[in-house]
Amino acid sequence: MLDEELDSEYELIEDILIKIWMMVKMNIKEKILKYLHLDDKSKAKKYNNKGLKYEKQGNYELAEKYYKKSIELNPNDFIVWYNLGNMYFGKGILYRLIYNNRKEYGYNCIKKANECYDKSLEIYYNGEKIDKKSLKNILISKSTVLNKMFFIERNKPELMEEALKCLYKAYHIDKNDLHVLSRIGILILKIEELIDDEDFKESKEMLKNIYDKYYNKSIVNTYLLMKRYSINI
């Protein structure tokens, strides 16, 4: 009698497990079919979102993998190139700060970030040019990378000039953006400081020319007022 009851329970459990497995199997099948019916742009968007997820987790290898998969399917999406650039920059900074024996590798990542931002801008300017907010973000990020490259290279003031050009382009998109305005002010004052810095004496003349060319009294004074009254931006 007991054996019969156990057999009955086993059969019931087996039946439930089979049904669960069939449901799981059908769900997987539906997901696969759904994925197969996506067009390349939709698949690329999913890969981009995966890249963003892994980048937030600090998993740069997987983030890079999925950004590149996205680009393979839709190479003309300037946002994915921008995201890939952000990933390379974050990875480069991390390697330069933490791994003393990987500083060169970190700098190569930072240079890759700059190349990605260039590609992103190229695609943007060849497209509809309607997403001004994203353009501004790319220009700001590129200026940050160029500024970092200047302080690593130390003997290429043209990088600092290009960084300022990017910021002024971002400023002309939205002159009410105090974040951009403050960045311009900070960079101009930094160049002024470097002109008399012995560590940058080889670049002194060019830095002075850049300062004279891009100095904007109104922007600098506004930034100094913001700094004086601790205005958060």
Side-chain angles (χ1 to χ4, degrees), residues 161-173:
E161 181 173 18
E162 196 178 345
L164 266 174
K165 283 181 181 178
C166 288
L167 287 176
Y168 270 108
K169 285 179 183 177
Y171 172 71
H172 287 299
I173 291 171

Side-chain angles (χ1 to χ4, degrees), residues 167-228:
L167 287 176
Y168 270 108
K169 285 179 183 177
Y171 172 71
H172 287 299
I173 291 171
D174 181 6
K175 292 185 178 181
N176 294 317
D177 190 328
L178 296 179
H179 176 65
V180 175
L181 186 147
S182 68
R183 280 174 170 262
I184 295 172
I186 290 168
L187 209 51
I188 287 173
L189 293 175
K190 189 63 184 178
I191 291 170
E192 182 182 37
E193 181 185 318
L194 292 176
I195 290 171
D196 295 320
D197 191 325
E198 282 298 308
D199 290 339
F200 294 89
K201 60 183 179 181
E202 292 181 9
S203 303
K204 180 173 182 175
E205 282 305 310
M206 192 166 178
L207 286 169
K208 191 175 185 309
N209 290 337
I210 293 168
Y211 176 82
D212 292 340
K213 183 178 179 180
Y214 292 95
Y215 178 81
N216 183 306
K217 185 177 181 181
S218 175
I219 289 177
V220 171
N221 286 344
T222 302
Y223 162 68
L224 290 173
L225 276 172
M226 289 165 61
K227 185 180 179 184
R228 180 179 177 184

Side-chain angles (χ1 to χ4, degrees), residues 5-225:
E5 288 179 4
L6 285 172
D7 287 342
S8 179
E9 285 186 15
Y10 284 142
E11 285 176 9
L12 181 61
I13 292 170
E14 185 180 17
D15 186 52
I16 291 170
L17 288 173
I18 289 170
K19 286 179 179 177
I20 291 171
W21 166 241
M22 291 302 293
M23 288 169 68
V24 170
K25 193 175 178 182
M26 286 299 294
N27 190 36
I28 293 170
K29 185 179 177 182
E30 283 175 18
K31 286 183 177 179
I32 291 170
L33 288 171
K34 188 177 178 182
Y35 177 78
L36 290 173
H37 283 91
L38 290 175
D39 58 28
D40 282 350
K41 284 189 177 181
S42 298
K43 289 178 186 176
K45 188 175 181 181
K46 283 185 174 292
Y47 284 138
N48 178 57
N49 290 338
K50 278 193 171 186
L52 287 169
K53 183 186 80 170
Y54 285 117
E55 184 182 349
K56 285 178 182 176
Q57 294 173 359
N59 192 332
Y60 294 117
E61 281 68 29
L62 279 179
E64 181 180 7
K65 174 186 172 181
Y66 283 108
Y67 286 141
K68 286 183 174 180
K69 275 179 172 284
S70 180
I71 287 168
E72 282 176 17
L73 292 171
N74 187 17
N76 292 320
D77 188 338
F78 71 92
I79 292 294
V80 185
W81 282 102
Y82 170 62
N83 290 340
L84 182 60
N86 289 341
M87 186 279 299
Y88 277 132
F89 184 60
K91 185 178 180 180
I93 293 297
L94 179 71
Y95 271 80
R96 286 191 66 80
L97 282 174
I98 297 177
Y99 306 107
N100 286 326
N101 61 334
R102 303 297 302 276
K103 287 187 182 292
E104 188 60 33
Y105 175 76
Y107 185 45
N108 286 334
C109 288
I110 292 171
K111 288 191 284 188
K112 281 184 180 180
N114 189 44
E115 291 168 5
C116 288
Y117 293 145
D118 281 340
K119 186 64 180 178
S120 181
L121 289 169
E122 178 191 330
I123 294 168
Y124 178 88
Y125 287 126
N126 288 330
E128 296 178 352
K129 306 182 187 71
I130 55 174
D131 190 354
K132 298 290 185 183
K133 183 179 179 181
S134 291
L135 173 61
K136 185 173 69 172
N137 289 337
I138 299 166
L139 290 166
I140 293 169
S141 296
K142 182 171 171 63
S143 75
T144 302
V145 166
L146 290 165
N147 189 30
K148 188 67 180 177
M149 289 172 68
F150 168 75
F151 282 103
I152 294 172
E153 296 270 357
R154 300 183 79 81
N155 61 346
K156 290 187 177 179
E158 62 270 20
L159 293 169
M160 190 68 92
E161 181 173 18
E162 196 178 345
L164 266 174
K165 283 181 181 178
C166 288
L167 287 176
Y168 270 108
K169 285 179 183 177
Y171 172 71
H172 287 299
I173 291 171
D174 181 6
K175 292 185 178 181
N176 294 317
D177 190 328
L178 296 179
H179 176 65
V180 175
L181 186 147
S182 68
R183 280 174 170 262
I184 295 172
I186 290 168
L187 209 51
I188 287 173
L189 293 175
K190 189 63 184 178
I191 291 170
E192 182 182 37
E193 181 185 318
L194 292 176
I195 290 171
D196 295 320
D197 191 325
E198 282 298 308
D199 290 339
F200 294 89
K201 60 183 179 181
E202 292 181 9
S203 303
K204 180 173 182 175
E205 282 305 310
M206 192 166 178
L207 286 169
K208 191 175 185 309
N209 290 337
I210 293 168
Y211 176 82
D212 292 340
K213 183 178 179 180
Y214 292 95
Y215 178 81
N216 183 306
K217 185 177 181 181
S218 175
I219 289 177
V220 171
N221 286 344
T222 302
Y223 162 68
L224 290 173
L225 276 172

